[in-house]
Structures are given as C-alpha cells and as structure tokens.
Amino acid sequence: MKKIYITIFILFIAFSGGTGFSQENKKSVTEMTREELSELSYQDLMNLSLEDLMVVANKFGLSADEILEYFLNKDVTSASKRAEKSINSPLSTTVLSKDEILASGATSIPEALRLIPGMIIREKTNGNYDAHIRGNDNLPPKNMFIYSENSISLVMIDGRPVYNYAFGGSFWETLPVELNDIDRIEVIRGPSSALYGPNAVSGVVNIITLKPEGKNLKTDASVQIGNNSAKLANASLAFGVSDKLKVRLSGNYTHFNRSNDEFYIYDLGRNYPKGALDTMVMWYNPSRSKMKVHENIDEAIPDPSLSLNKYGVNAFVFYDVTKDINFNLSAGLNNSSNNTTTLGNSEFPIAGRDADFKYFDIRSKIYGFSLQANYMMGKQDFQRASKGWDIDPQIANASLEYEKSFGSLVIRPGVSYQSAIYDDTKSLTQEDIDNLNGFLNGAPKITNVAGYIRGDYSFKEKLRLIAALRTDKYNVPSSTYFTYQFISTFNINTKNLVRAVYSRANRGPFIVDSYANYNWQVVPANSDGMAPQLLIWNGSKKLDLPVMDMFELGFRTQPFKNIMIDIEAFQSKTKHFSYFMPDTLDVTLNLATGKAVNSVAHIQYYNFDLASTQTGLTFNISAVLAKNLNLKVFGTFQKTDLKNVYPKNYFNNLAEMQASIPSNPKLQQDGYLLTIASRAQTAQYKLLNGLTPTTEELQAAQLFQTFNATQLGRIGQLQSQGYKETYEVYNTDIENDKIKSSLLENSSNKATPSFYGGFSVSYSPTPKVNAFLSSYFFTSNEIIHSETDDTNKNGYDPIYKIDAKAIFSMKLSYKIYKENAIFINCRNLFNSTSREFAFMDKVYGKYLVGASISF
Amino acid sequence: MKNRRMIITMLLFLFVSSMAANAQNEKFKALFLYNFIKNVEWPQAYKQGDLIIGVVGNTPIIKELETITGSQKAGNQSMKVKVFSSPEEISNCHIVYIAPNKSSLIPQISSKLNGNPTLIISDGKGGVQQGSAINFLMDGDKLKFEISKQHIEQRGLKVSANLLNLGVAVN
C-alpha cells in the first residue's frame, strides 16, 4: 500500500515542476493537439484568422455526423490489425471506448465488460468477477470450482497475453492496468486462435492502453470511496520529452471489503465465522470427524472481511522515430490480495489469493514489420496456506509479423514463440519436494512455436475475404495444432453488411494438467481407513487440447443515420475436454479384523468424449437519439447441448472403487485361504481338546490338507505381514484410457444462462452533466459442482441454482470546471443481493462518491 | 426503502441537471463575429468614428464582445457594443447581432434597417431566410455559419471571398 503512494508522490515531485514544457505556438493550429489548443490565450485566439479559429473552435466538438460515427461506428483493429470502422469489422466485435467506460462508472475492467454483448459477468465476492464470453461454463460438469471459471478466453493488454497457464483462466485482480489506463477495450466473440494464438477459444478481450496526445504535461487523478470500505484511486501523468518521445506514468489502487466476514461450509449448508473454522471439528463428516475444518485459518485468511486489495504502477514510453518507425515500451508491477473462489477442494468455497508481478513489453513497428516481446514474472499464491498452490510464473512472448500489400490483397505472415514456466519449489522445503508435497515439485515449462499467415483481399470494396492460418507446435503435448479462420464480408451497400465466419481454435496446454506430480497426504489421517489417506496426482503429457469449431453469420445495418443494429447467429462445437479422475485405489486391509488400515488413490488427467454444441444469437442496437442522449440495448439467446456427459464425479469414483474391494479376486483368494486355514486350525484345536468340530470346520481341515506349497506359502506370508495386505482396485469406468461410452449421457448445459444482456443510456442535459444508467441481466442458471450442498444432497447431481437477476447501475457526474468533476456512482442501485456465482457471497450494492481532476 | 433511494437519486439528478451552462460557444461566436468585421468592408462614410456592434437581447455574448472590443480595433476604428431590448431602439449600427431568443424579430429588424449598411447576424435555424446576412448554427458540437452574399451586398457592404468560402452559402 505504502509503495503506491510513494511512487505516485515521487512521480508528481519529479514531473510537476513543469520545466521544459513551454508552449510552442509556432505550430499551425491544425498541427496542434487538443491540449495545446486548450492552452491558447484569448489574445492568441483574437490574432487567429477565421479559418484557424474555426479549426480551434471545432477541435473540441464533433459535428452531428461525427457524433453518430463516434458512438455507432468506432475504430476496431480486431481482424485486420489495422484500425477500421466497426460496421466493416469482419468478426463479432464490440469496442468500448474510454469515454463510455468513464461515464458508465464501472469500478473495474471485468465490471466494464458488462457493457459489452456476449459477456457473462458474475460477481463472486465484492469486486471479484468471473467473465465468460458466450458461455460454455462449468465444463466438464460435476467438478471443482476451477472448471466453473472461464479458461477458454484470451485476455491481452496491448497484444500481450495475460493468461494463467498453470490451470487456465484470467485472474482479473492480477492485471497491472486499470480503467484509467485504457483507451478502449475490444472484445471479439468466437474462436480466434488463428489470429491471436492459443486460448482464444471462446473469444478475446483486448485491452488497449492510452497514448498521450500532446506534448504538454497532463495530469489525471480520480478517487472514489463507498460502502464496504470501497476505496478506488488512480493517477497518471503524461508528457512529451519532445514531439517524438512521449511518456505516461500511472498508478491505481482498489480496495473492497466483503459484505460479510463469514464462510459457508458446504456440508452444513450455512455460514460460520472465521473463528469457528479452526476450532470446530468436522463432526458432520464421519471419515474426518476428528479434523478441524481448517487448521491454519489465520494464515490462509488473515482478514476474513477483505474482498480485494490491489495496486498497480505502470510506465509507458512512446518513441515515434519517423512516420514508419516507432518503439513503444511499457513496464510495470502489480500486487493483489483477495478472498474469492477456491480453486481446489476445500470444506468451504472461499480462499485467499496473492499475486505480485512485474512485466515489461516492447512493441515496435519498422516499416512493414511489427515486433513485440514481453516478459512477466512474479509470485502467485492461488490458495494461501495450502501447500502446492504457491506457484511462481515466468512468462515470455515474442512475435514478429510483416505486412505487405499487393494491390487489394494484404498479406501478413508472422512467427511467435511463447514460454511459460511455473515454479513451486521456492515455496517448498527440500523435504516437501522429496515427498512430492507441491503440485509440481519443480519448474516445468510449456513452450509453443507458431507460424501464421493472414491474407485480406478486397474486391471493389464490396466483397472482402480474410483467411488466417496458424500452426502451433507445443512441447507438451508433443503435437502440432492447426487452426484457421475464414471470414467473408459483403457490403450490400454502405449501410448494410453481411458476413460469415468459419473458424477453429484450440486452447493451449496447462502446466498442472501436464505436469502434476503431487502426493497429497491427508493430515490428520482419515479415521475411516477406506477413505484415501494419500492421493497421488499425476498430469498427462498426452492430453488432446480442447478445440472449438464455429460457424457464424452476421448482419450489420444502419437503417437510419442514428441507429446501428448488429446481429450475429452462431453455432460452435467444443470437444477434447480434460480433467482428472481417480483410476486406481490401493487399500490396505487388516485381514484379521476385516478393517481397512490405509488407502491410496491414484488420480490422473484424462480426455473426455464430452462435446458441447452451442447455438445462439446476439443482437446489439445502438442509437443516438440526440447528440446528448445515447442508447444501447443488447442481448444473447443461447442453448448449449452436451453429448457424452459422464454422470459421476470423483467422489463417486472413489466410493465405487471402495465398494468394489470385497469383490477383488486377490482379496477373495486370500480370504478363502485364511478362512480355510483358520477353520482347519479350530477343527484341530477342538479335536485335540475333546470337542466336536462343526461339519464346516472338518471340511476346511480336509481342504487344508490339499493346499499346495504356493497356497501354504501365501498363508505364511500373510501371517508374517500381521494379516495386513494391500489390494488394488481399478476404476472400471475407464477402458483404454477412456471412459466407456455406454456410461455417457446427453444433456443440456444449464450453467450458461439462456438469455443475458443489458442496456445503457447516456444523457448529458448540459455539457457539464452526464447521467449514465446501465443494466445487466441474466436468466437463471445452474452449476453442477462436485461439492454437495446440504440442501441439495442428491447423489450424482449436486446442483447449485443461481436465480435470474437484473442489476441497475448509475453514475451522475458534474464537471465543476473544465474536465474536473464530482460524481455519485451506484453499482447495483437497488441492492439486488442474490448470489451470482455458486456458493459465493451475496452481492450488495456499491454506493460511491468521488471526484476526478484533469489538468 | 428501495423506493426512497430511487427518489433521492432522481432528485439529485434533477438538481445536478439544472445547474450549469456552457459559455465556450459564446466565446467563439464573439471571436467569429470579430473576424466577420475583418472580412467585410463598409462604405467609406462608415469607416470613421466608432464601429458599433448592436446586440438585441440579453445574452452572454455581450460580455465576450466587450472583452474583444476593449482591446482590439477594427482597422483604425474603435469598437463599441450597444445593447438593445427592442427593434425600435436600434440605430446607426455597423453590425446587429440578434440573440437566439429574439429570432422572431429578424424580419422586423431587417425591414427597419432597409437601405442601411448594417450587417445583420442571427443565431438560429432559418435566420438567413428571414432576412439576416450571416446566421450561426450548431452542427452537433461544431460551430458553423450560414452566409448570404446577396443579403450582404444588397445593403452596400462588400464581403471577402474567403468569408464566403468558410461559410455555408445560403441564398
């Protein structure tokens, strides 16, 4: 916390002196930036010719046509990697501008995504979000939380992937930039790995940061405070060292507390205070009834009321050498702590996470060449105080592309390299590593070398054909993936465009799925010897990577000058899901007592035949009703059908394997030998003591005399082992490394709402006042989770239902002087408290007041 | 409880909306007007004494014009701003600016000043059609002006080609 204040303070001291930023009025007004023009004095203005004066007067405003163009038809760079108008964008793309983000009052990047069609945004704990593009949530079902969060979309900052390669997903709290750094956010819906690389399966969120406009010193700062200890602050300084060299420095800080400080215990179906967790034993769980709910809760969750605390500091340097040569450098750090969804198994669904990252990113354009290289490293504890979850990433990316035009054909070939190392050894002792107490117990690496080419051909400004082809060669699995995007657009006229996309994308490999090498010793031991005391967890380097194929048809129309309608219909099919499954159980029995004394489960990652087919339609209507009144309405209808769903979870697998122990042939044979030996012994004893053996005992005595040396040897061996022997049983649902197809079922995936969308209205009654009202809504949805809810213990289907919800938010801002404003910001205005994510906190309204300065 | 919160929000909204006006455009209108003077030539007899800018209606442009006329000259002539509340009061002006809320008076003022070398400037839709020579109009946030060569020249004024080019021609 201190760090950020110190940094911001130093930045201000260093640069607010203002020396060296003198006005250069020798430039013509057309060459001057808005900032430079705003510095002109009245005398300067009176000396201008009418022609120049008109330029100055109108630099600050937009003509009616320009207003329409600005709101309805923003520039996007999505498919062509060059700016083009939204109406011409060949992909399903939405651009959220800086002005819209700031006016909306969104308190974070994922919350701002609620203004974009096709996004499913669920708030987990206050200020912590899960964001899905189009859905495919909770696959495979009946699983841990980690599979409920999105791991098939790619988030990038200025083209740098910010992805969690350990086990997938985007951790929004770990982004170094905040809304104040953003020029625009572009969201591309649909598989796009041919254009953007692995993990762009359901889509891409590309965050594009600001570039300073002028050379003059510009300072922006904003603070907000609100209920649940909400504190948001950011500041930035931008200046030009020369016309060619510009710098922007920024810092951001966010703090939210949870709406309560209790923890839900799955098996009890209600909340308990933190103090109860390390005093209360799990009396409700027969096999673990002497264990505490959480041993070291103070270390795991020191502050139960905390939801999110994070800061980031960034520096951006822009050096435009000539029109054709430029270099951009950004570097920064971020630190976050939050209490949000647990990723693994736990008795309660909330876990503490920490992250501390540093990064740098270099981008350069030299004539037709585009070069980008970046590196990110740091510490990341995915689940505090749980051994193995503290895994430190080191991620490097490099790419080189070249663009060349041949008439109406633009070709852009490129190559890229990516390496992701995750190292858990730093948080482990040598003993831990030797005992395989970490997930990885090492620093495994996934690498990816890719080659790609994109061709963009226009025919008479009517027809446009884009083909993007890419091959990715991974080290693990050691195979090559070929992905593609074929896109065509046809301009019926300047106001109507139809387009079609056929594409395939794949997710990249995950470190944990590939390299898990983990012995999970259950401490203290389960009192029931049948329950696994040790889980041996192994990754697989042979997993097929998830792949999505999609066909999409789109239509964009501007029926009136002030209305744009965008409709996209899509069908996608996703397959090759993978997750872990117990395949073997070694149970050690005491044959003298018939009780289990130890149990070891072997768990490995497998591919599943599961296939998800999603069919849907998204609409987005934007209207400029007046220059000061804009309206947007959007929504997505979708249906997801699942084929080959495996109806069991890993608890079911373990229970079935335990139940199969008595029928284990080796155990039956040993049992037979010992029973006969024991009865024969009784018969002998009775005969020696003048008693009459039973018929059964006499038969056993006769049989025992027929035992051969092997049988007698086995009995001797068991005797010498104190009658303790280990029996191995297998998960009989697996056959040739696959689940038997006869066990698979078809169903529909209700985890993605069948309808979700929103609307927004922006109204400025005067240039100083803006009111932005927005709403986000989704229909009810269900997550099928591996943890059972006490109210819903129905064996194979522990369903957690999320009710339909509509959230209204409003920001009212008033510019006191120039761009300096005060505002009231209400997120979830009517305090609709229902949960948005399974087992997480109730979501309460955020009511904030704030001020922003800009000079 | 929820209703009350909503009402408070709405009241705040109304309160905030009712505040504030934007003087930026008035400043530029005044600066434009100053430039019109530079681009219009009055008959010889009117090139002496003060250059009078008449304003009909109470409008923030008056303050802006006074700032300009306080420090600038039109050629050798000093400039003065005169404010009129009705057409009857208008006399001996080089320029008459009619505020938007007095647009209905354009025909009356135009006929009253028939034969006088006065540049009539209006501010609102259809101003030129009603008789003014130059009319301010907003295209979105952009300040533009319509100009009628005919209406200028029929009052014995000369206008530069540059000014005609920069305006939207209306005849």
Side-chain angles (χ1 to χ4, degrees):
Chain A
M1 185 49 226
K2 259 185 192 166
K3 252 190 214 171
I4 184 170
Y5 287 136
I6 293 168
T7 312
I8 291 171
F9 180 68
I10 290 170
L11 296 181
F12 270 82
I13 293 295
F15 298 106
S16 56
T19 49
F21 302 108
S22 61
Q23 190 71 49
E24 282 183 29
N25 282 342
K26 283 166 200 145
K27 276 185 185 174
S28 82
V29 290
T30 47
E31 289 169 345
M32 290 164 84
T33 63
R34 279 173 64 139
E35 276 69 31
E36 285 166 337
L37 289 173
S38 68
E39 307 268 312
L40 292 176
S41 69
Y42 218 123
Q43 190 62 47
D44 293 332
L45 293 172
M46 287 192 287
N47 292 336
L48 291 177
S49 69
L50 182 59
E51 199 168 358
D52 285 346
L53 191 63
M54 287 177 81
V55 171
V56 177
N58 294 331
K59 197 87 177 183
F60 297 95
L62 300 167
S63 71
D65 280 348
E66 285 166 341
I67 288 169
L68 295 174
E69 195 73 359
Y70 177 76
F71 287 108
L72 298 179
N73 203 3
K74 298 183 184 92
D75 283 353
V76 298
T77 51
S78 63
S80 57
K81 298 211 173 176
R82 284 184 297 184
E84 61 188 359
K85 291 293 171 193
S86 290
I87 195 167
N88 296 324
S89 172
L91 295 169
S92 290
T93 314
T94 304
V95 183
L96 199 60
S97 69
K98 170 190 161 68
D99 293 344
E100 201 174 348
I101 293 169
L102 291 182
S104 76
T107 54
S108 65
I109 294 169
E111 197 203 341
L113 297 177
R114 282 189 163 157
L115 299 164
I116 292 183
M119 300 297 301
I120 303 160
I121 312 290
R122 297 181 176 93
E123 189 164 5
K124 300 189 289 188
T125 51
N126 196 12
N128 291 304
Y129 296 84
D130 170 61
H132 273 79
I133 302 177
R134 285 185 179 167
N136 275 314
D137 312 59
N138 190 217
L139 292 177
K142 299 171 179 42
N143 221 313
M144 298 198 299
F145 261 133
I146 187 175
Y147 294 90
S148 304
E149 305 207 29
N150 185 11
S151 62
I152 52 169
S153 302
L154 182 63
V155 180
M156 301 192 293
I157 300 172
D158 296 322
R160 174 175 73 94
V162 278
Y163 190 79
N164 164 34
Y165 300 91
F167 37 75
S170 298
F171 290 71
W172 295 100
E173 71 273 14
T174 66
L175 303 190
V177 296
E178 250 312 333
L179 296 173
N180 64 310
D181 294 307
I182 294 177
D183 178 62
R184 63 188 193 276
I185 300 176
E186 293 180 3
V187 170
I188 297 131
R189 295 174 288 279
S192 311
S193 66
L195 285 169
Y196 290 99
N199 302 313
V201 179
S202 67
V204 177
V205 176
N206 196 6
I207 297 164
I208 294 150
T209 59
L210 282 168
K211 182 175 180 180
E213 277 186 25
K215 213 181 117 182
N216 290 343
L217 178 70
K218 189 168 185 302
T219 308
D220 290 281
S222 165
V223 286
Q224 287 185 73
I225 51 165
N227 60 328
N228 286 320
S229 304
K231 292 179 212 62
L232 291 91
N234 62 64
S236 67
L237 276 176
F239 57 91
V241 176
S242 70
D243 281 338
K244 292 180 173 178
L245 182 63
K246 287 167 188 160
V247 179
R248 186 171 174 277
L249 304 163
S250 78
N252 61 75
Y253 172 71
T254 302
H255 180 100
F256 285 112
N257 271 0
R258 291 174 64 208
S259 50
N260 69 90
D261 54 4
E262 295 189 331
F263 297 90
Y264 180 88
I265 296 181
Y266 294 121
D267 284 338
L268 297 175
R270 54 163 284 209
N271 283 353
Y272 286 85
K274 173 183 154 181
L277 301 179
D278 62 353
T279 49
M280 190 163 79
V281 294
M282 290 195 273
W283 48 266
Y284 47 82
N285 183 337
S287 70
R288 314 185 85 190
S289 61
K290 293 202 175 71
M291 290 170 59
K292 285 177 182 168
V293 178
H294 200 295
E295 282 292 332
N296 42 357
I297 191 73
D298 276 330
E299 195 191 329
I301 302 184
D303 179 2
S305 58
L306 175 74
S307 192
L308 172 64
N309 190 77
K310 72 176 183 88
Y311 66 79
V313 179
N314 299 280
F316 306 89
V317 180
F318 304 85
Y319 183 40
D320 297 319
V321 185
T322 67
K323 188 166 63 66
D324 299 309
I325 301 175
N326 65 49
F327 296 93
N328 296 334
L329 169 73
S330 48
L333 55 91
N334 58 282
N335 180 291
S336 64
S337 285
N338 54 345
N339 288 324
T340 181
T341 34
T342 173
L343 296 166
N345 274 331
S346 180
E347 296 302 315
F348 54 94
I350 287 183
R353 294 183 196 164
D354 292 322
D356 193 76
F357 292 161
K358 294 172 185 67
Y359 79 95
F360 74 82
D361 184 20
I362 300 171
R363 282 166 289 138
S364 175
K365 283 209 169 89
I366 302 171
Y367 294 95
F369 289 97
S370 297
L371 173 79
Q372 180 163 19
N374 47 64
Y375 183 69
M376 194 278 283
M377 60 164 291
K379 287 186 68 61
Q380 187 160 25
D381 194 346
F382 294 100
Q383 190 160 322
R384 213 183 290 126
S386 289
K387 216 164 258 180
W389 289 98
D390 191 341
I391 309 177
D392 299 340
Q394 296 163 43
I395 302 187
N397 294 286
S399 68
L400 177 66
E401 297 180 5
Y402 178 69
E403 186 169 296
K404 178 93 183 136
S405 298
F406 302 91
S408 36
L409 174 69
V410 182
I411 299 280
R412 195 175 169 111
V415 286
S416 82
Y417 173 77
Q418 180 174 66
S419 140
I421 297 171
Y422 279 79
D423 181 357
D424 65 355
T425 58
K426 286 175 198 150
S427 63
L428 299 171
T429 63
Q430 191 55 46
E431 196 188 345
D432 285 331
I433 296 170
D434 293 342
N435 293 328
L436 303 181
N437 287 341
F439 264 118
L440 310 168
N441 302 292
K445 179 178 182 175
I446 44 179
T447 60
N448 168 23
V449 181
Y452 46 94
I453 187 162
R454 188 175 58 248
D456 190 334
Y457 175 71
S458 302
F459 181 72
K460 292 187 173 173
E461 294 189 358
K462 275 276 179 198
L463 180 70
R464 186 170 168 201
L465 301 169
I466 299 172
L469 311 169
R470 177 174 171 123
T471 84
D472 287 274
K473 171 87 182 79
Y474 302 98
N475 64 334
V476 169
S478 171
S479 41
T480 301
Y481 277 75
F482 177 59
T483 57
Y484 46 79
Q485 261 166 295
F486 298 105
I487 308 163
S488 64
T489 69
F490 180 72
N491 287 311
I492 301 167
N493 51 43
T494 54
K495 299 292 176 197
N496 293 282
L497 176 139
V498 285
R499 58 190 186 84
V501 182
Y502 180 67
S503 63
R504 158 172 286 202
N506 75 282
R507 202 203 69 192
F510 294 159
I511 286 272
V512 169
D513 294 30
S514 312
Y515 291 102
N517 175 25
Y518 176 42
N519 282 0
W520 177 14
Q521 188 76 47
V522 180
V523 181
N526 279 328
S527 61
D528 173 6
M530 268 292 197
Q533 313 293 329
L534 175 68
L535 295 113
I536 297 177
W537 215 285
N538 282 303
S540 167
K541 296 183 181 63
K542 295 182 291 188
L543 294 172
D544 288 334
L545 300 172
V547 168
M548 184 190 277
D549 291 304
M550 182 200 69
F551 180 66
E552 181 181 76
L553 282 174
F555 176 55
R556 270 190 213 108
T557 180
Q558 216 169 338
F560 304 102
K561 212 174 169 186
N562 60 339
I563 292 178
M564 171 108 95
I565 300 171
D566 197 343
I567 296 169
E568 62 211 36
F570 54 93
Q571 184 166 63
S572 68
K573 190 171 175 184
T574 316
K575 56 188 182 186
H576 301 323
F577 291 92
S578 61
Y579 79 88
F580 58 86
M581 191 163 174
D583 54 14
T584 309
L585 184 70
D586 296 326
V587 176
T588 306
L589 294 173
N590 183 336
L591 297 169
T593 61
K595 290 231 161 95
V597 292
N598 192 24
S599 169
V600 177
H602 296 262
I603 293 174
Q604 201 185 302
Y605 284 82
Y606 286 93
N607 274 121
F608 282 58
D609 280 336
L610 176 69
S612 162
T613 303
Q614 189 181 43
T615 312
L617 183 137
T618 296
F619 67 90
N620 183 20
I621 302 167
S622 308
V624 179
L625 301 178
K627 83 165 198 197
N628 56 353
L629 181 63
N630 303 303
L631 176 73
K632 238 165 116 172
V633 187
F634 54 88
T636 300
F637 300 89
Q638 71 81 40
K639 183 171 169 289
T640 307
D641 293 311
L642 300 180
K643 261 191 187 162
N644 305 327
V645 178
Y646 180 53
K648 301 177 190 173
N649 65 33
Y650 47 90
F651 294 128
N652 307 136
N653 294 140
L654 284 173
E656 285 181 3
M657 284 195 283
Q658 287 165 357
S660 73
I661 293 274
S663 54
N664 178 281
K666 191 175 150 205
L667 170 60
Q668 286 192 340
Q669 180 62 24
D670 286 346
Y672 168 75
L673 293 175
L674 289 179
T675 308
I676 298 300
S678 156
R679 283 177 188 164
Q681 202 178 16
T682 311
Q684 190 185 19
Y685 171 83
K686 283 184 177 173
L687 288 170
L688 286 172
N689 289 284
L691 301 165
T692 314
T694 64
T695 323
E696 214 175 33
E697 285 159 356
L698 283 171
Q699 282 171 347
Q702 283 172 347
L703 259 175
F704 185 72
Q705 284 174 3
T706 67
F707 277 9
N708 58 27
T710 316
Q711 288 169 312
L712 294 172
R714 178 67 182 158
I715 293 167
Q717 189 193 355
L718 291 170
Q719 262 178 338
S720 69
Q721 288 171 200
Y723 298 106
K724 284 177 189 154
E725 180 58 296
T726 302
Y727 299 94
E728 194 162 70
V729 286
Y730 303 100
N731 184 342
T732 51
D733 291 358
I734 302 173
E735 209 174 58
N736 300 327
D737 277 355
K738 281 198 144 182
I739 293 169
K740 283 181 192 160
S741 54
S742 59
L743 297 168
L744 304 175
E745 298 170 354
N746 295 342
S747 67
S748 66
N749 185 5
K750 293 182 183 137
T752 305
S754 56
F755 176 72
Y756 51 92
F759 73 80
S760 65
V761 185
S762 175
Y763 177 56
S764 292
T766 80
K768 283 178 175 281
V769 177
N770 181 260
F772 196 103
L773 175 71
S774 60
S775 177
Y776 180 76
F777 35 84
F778 52 76
T779 54
S780 65
N781 52 93
E782 304 175 348
I783 278 184
I784 308 178
H785 191 249
S786 60
E787 300 297 345
T788 49
D789 180 1
D790 199 44
T791 56
N792 201 353
K793 270 192 171 150
N794 54 353
Y796 283 175
D797 285 322
I799 292 172
Y800 193 100
K801 202 167 171 184
I802 301 285
D803 292 332
K805 189 165 188 178
I807 302 153
F808 293 86
S809 296
M810 188 181 216
K811 182 180 176 186
L812 290 173
S813 58
Y814 173 66
K815 287 182 187 167
I816 299 171
Y817 172 69
K818 289 189 174 173
E819 296 302 307
N820 303 288
I822 50 170
F823 53 85
I824 301 166
N825 190 8
C826 304
R827 323 306 304 163
N828 191 357
L829 187 62
F830 304 120
N831 204 27
S832 167
T833 59
S834 65
R835 290 182 173 86
E836 296 170 19
F837 198 95
F839 300 111
M840 287 293 111
D841 285 343
K842 284 185 175 178
V843 177
Y844 287 83
K846 296 182 182 69
Y847 306 105
L848 305 135
V849 290
S852 58
I853 54 165
S854 179
F855 55 87
Chain B
M1 183 58 204
K2 279 182 185 174
N3 279 341
R4 193 191 296 172
R5 196 174 287 145
M6 199 154 122
I7 290 163
I8 292 171
T9 313
M10 294 301 164
L11 283 175
L12 270 170
F13 176 66
L14 289 175
F15 170 73
V16 177
S17 322
S18 63
M19 296 166 72
N22 182 14
Q24 188 78 357
N25 278 331
E26 299 305 313
K27 176 167 125 183
F28 279 108
K29 278 181 198 166
L31 286 163
F32 273 40
L33 199 145
Y34 171 55
N35 272 279
F36 297 157
I37 296 170
K38 293 188 206 166
N39 285 279
V40 170
E41 196 181 336
W42 275 266
Q44 202 56 41
Y46 286 80
K47 289 183 182 171
Q48 299 155 14
D50 290 344
L51 190 142
I52 309 296
I53 303 169
V55 177
V56 182
N58 189 9
T59 142
I61 204 174
I62 298 167
K63 202 171 146 257
E64 300 294 337
L65 285 171
E66 281 169 347
T67 309
I68 296 171
T69 54
S71 67
Q72 304 295 306
K73 279 191 165 187
N76 298 323
Q77 291 173 284
S78 295
M79 296 187 285
K80 274 200 176 143
V81 181
K82 276 190 183 174
V83 181
F84 308 111
S85 52
S86 68
E88 291 74 36
E89 297 171 17
I90 304 172
S91 63
N92 291 336
C93 291
H94 291 74
I95 292 175
V96 167
Y97 168 82
I98 304 164
N101 60 352
K102 300 280 180 187
S103 291
S104 59
L105 301 175
I106 300 171
Q108 201 185 331
I109 294 169
S110 173
S111 59
K112 179 183 159 68
L113 296 176
N114 241 346
N116 290 4
T118 306
L119 183 71
I120 302 176
I121 300 174
S122 59
D123 195 346
K125 213 174 172 184
V128 174
Q129 286 80 356
Q130 293 180 66
S132 72
I134 294 177
N135 180 51
F136 285 119
L137 64 105
M138 295 303 295
D139 174 11
D141 291 331
K142 289 196 173 179
L143 178 60
K144 292 188 175 171
F145 63 91
E146 293 172 321
I147 187 162
S148 166
K149 190 181 180 198
Q150 189 194 335
H151 287 188
I152 295 172
E153 289 180 349
Q154 73 191 16
R155 291 179 187 278
L157 304 172
K158 284 182 187 162
V159 57
S160 75
N162 189 36
L163 187 62
L164 290 172
N165 284 338
L166 291 171
V168 179
V170 179
N171 276 311

